[in-house]
Amino acid sequence: LDIAVNCVANLANVGIREYIVLADSAKTCEALRGRLACVWSTLLTPFSEKLKQGATGPAHLWLSRQIYAGRLAELGYNPMVLDSDSALFANPLALVAAHLPEYAFVALADHSGTWSSLNCGTYYLRNARRGRTYAALDAGTLLAFCCARPRRALRSPRT
């Protein structure tokens, strides 16, 4: 829990005040009550056994995070996914706006998610609305990658 509190303090230190802590359970959010905005999800409960096949670590949390970030992007928000053990020394949203204004997707990969690549590391989806084109990449393709790929992982342990 301390790492989540530290992450939010780090976000505030670089000027980011809007965040959502996606926790693994209601118990975790209860422990954070009064300190952080926290949510948890039962979205993947029906898939618990399938997620255990070949995946290690908090695979359900990684997958939930990708599904919800993709959904936020589909709704027109600009989500940034950040591991709680990350350290920021400047506001990444401002840096992307200043130095990569045409980019809709900026990613720093984390390959610790085993075969599934569920641990996506840090990424930022910016103005990724269907119908827009970014260089050679249609926004629909980008959203399909960010939204459909995590959903496909529930169908087969090898997708």
Side-chain angles (χ1 to χ4, degrees), residues 8-86:
V8 171
N10 184 214
L11 290 170
N13 191 49
V14 298
I16 299 173
R17 304 260 187 260
E18 297 83 19
Y19 69 89
I20 300 171
V21 173
L22 178 59
D24 60 341
S25 68
K27 182 179 175 183
T28 301
C29 282
E30 185 60 36
L32 292 170
R33 184 182 294 226
R35 297 194 297 168
L36 301 179
C38 182
V39 297
W40 76 96
S41 175
T42 58
L43 174 72
L44 299 177
T45 302
F47 304 98
S48 293
E49 287 305 312
K50 184 175 266 193
L51 286 172
K52 288 178 187 174
Q53 297 173 17
T56 60
H60 68 286
L61 196 55
W62 293 334
L63 186 55
S64 292
R65 166 171 90 166
Q66 286 192 38
I67 290 170
Y68 285 119
R71 184 65 182 127
L72 285 169
E74 286 177 323
L75 292 170
Y77 293 95
N78 300 316
M80 180 176 73
V81 174
L82 183 69
D83 286 341
S84 59
D85 62 351
S86 299

Side-chain angles (χ1 to χ4, degrees), residues 132-152:
R132 289 190 63 186
T133 302
Y134 305 93
L137 181 65
D138 174 82
T141 304
L142 175 63
L143 287 172
F145 172 77
C146 294
C147 305
R149 184 180 166 276
R151 292 175 187 145
R152 281 194 310 270

